[in-house]
Amino acid sequence: MNFSQWLSARGRITRTIWWRWYGFVFLGFGLLNGLVQRGHGMPSLLEALLGLVSLLLVPAAICGGAKRWHDRDCSGWWQLVVLIPLVGWLWNLIAVGAMPGNTGPNRFGPDPRETGGIAPPWGPPSVPLRRGTEAAPRRDGGSVPPTG
């Protein structure tokens, strides 16, 4: 996974990719930051550097969470569940880190298990709109309802 994919909230990723690239990275960084906060002889410059890196990782964490919610066919806005006192963080961790995503394509893209863990954000697949009709493909790979 390249850096531009870290900062994109489009598409879908598997639990394995989320844990590898988001969960463990942020868990390790959080532990390191916790050691600095406890004052284990770290210079204040290192504290400032860790604080800056923490702020830079926040957008990547939000994007990774959105992609996991997309894999479950839910809006990335479901991440706001963390704002529910006491149970929000646990709910989000279970939904994002433990529950499997939808099988097959959904409105956020193809199944990431079929594309090596990361589904490209080229839009939803063509899906039947009503009996006997199918959506017309767009140039970007998504679909547009037929006219007329």
Side-chain angles (χ1 to χ4, degrees), residues 92-118:
N92 191 59
L93 183 64
I94 291 171
V96 170
M99 296 181 74
N102 289 34
T103 303
N106 68 19
R107 61 188 168 136
F108 296 104
D111 190 343
R113 287 163 289 287
E114 297 171 359
T115 58
I118 303 168

Side-chain angles (χ1 to χ4, degrees), residues 38 49 67 69 73 104 130:
R38 296 187 102 201
L49 182 62
K67 288 188 239 189
W69 280 104
D73 203 16
R130 50 190 162 172

Side-chain angles (χ1 to χ4, degrees), residues 3-143:
F3 190 69
S4 65
Q5 290 172 322
W6 266 58
L7 297 175
S8 170
R10 297 187 64 194
R12 297 167 62 183
I13 58 174
T14 62
R15 286 176 291 176
T16 304
I17 297 292
W18 184 83
W19 277 111
R20 186 179 305 146
W21 291 102
Y22 294 95
F24 290 132
V25 169
F26 289 102
L27 180 65
F29 194 79
L31 291 173
L32 183 61
N33 203 9
L35 289 175
V36 169
Q37 296 300 323
R38 296 187 102 201
H40 282 62
M42 299 280 185
S44 60
L45 178 62
L46 183 57
E47 289 177 5
L49 182 62
L50 284 173
L52 179 64
V53 172
S54 293
L55 289 175
L56 294 175
L57 289 176
V58 167
I62 292 170
C63 292
K67 288 188 239 189
R68 274 301 298 143
W69 280 104
H70 290 171
D71 192 37
R72 301 197 58 237
D73 203 16
C74 297
S75 169
W77 288 104
W78 270 96
Q79 292 181 90
L80 294 177
V81 75
V82 299
L83 299 176
I84 299 172
L86 303 176
V87 297
W89 285 99
L90 182 60
W91 184 357
N92 191 59
L93 183 64
I94 291 171
V96 170
M99 296 181 74
N102 289 34
T103 303
N106 68 19
R107 61 188 168 136
F108 296 104
D111 190 343
R113 287 163 289 287
E114 297 171 359
T115 58
I118 303 168
W122 297 311
S126 295
V127 293
L129 297 176
R130 50 190 162 172
R131 181 176 245 143
T133 66
E134 189 169 313
R138 293 189 320 213
R139 288 184 187 154
D140 66 357
S143 56

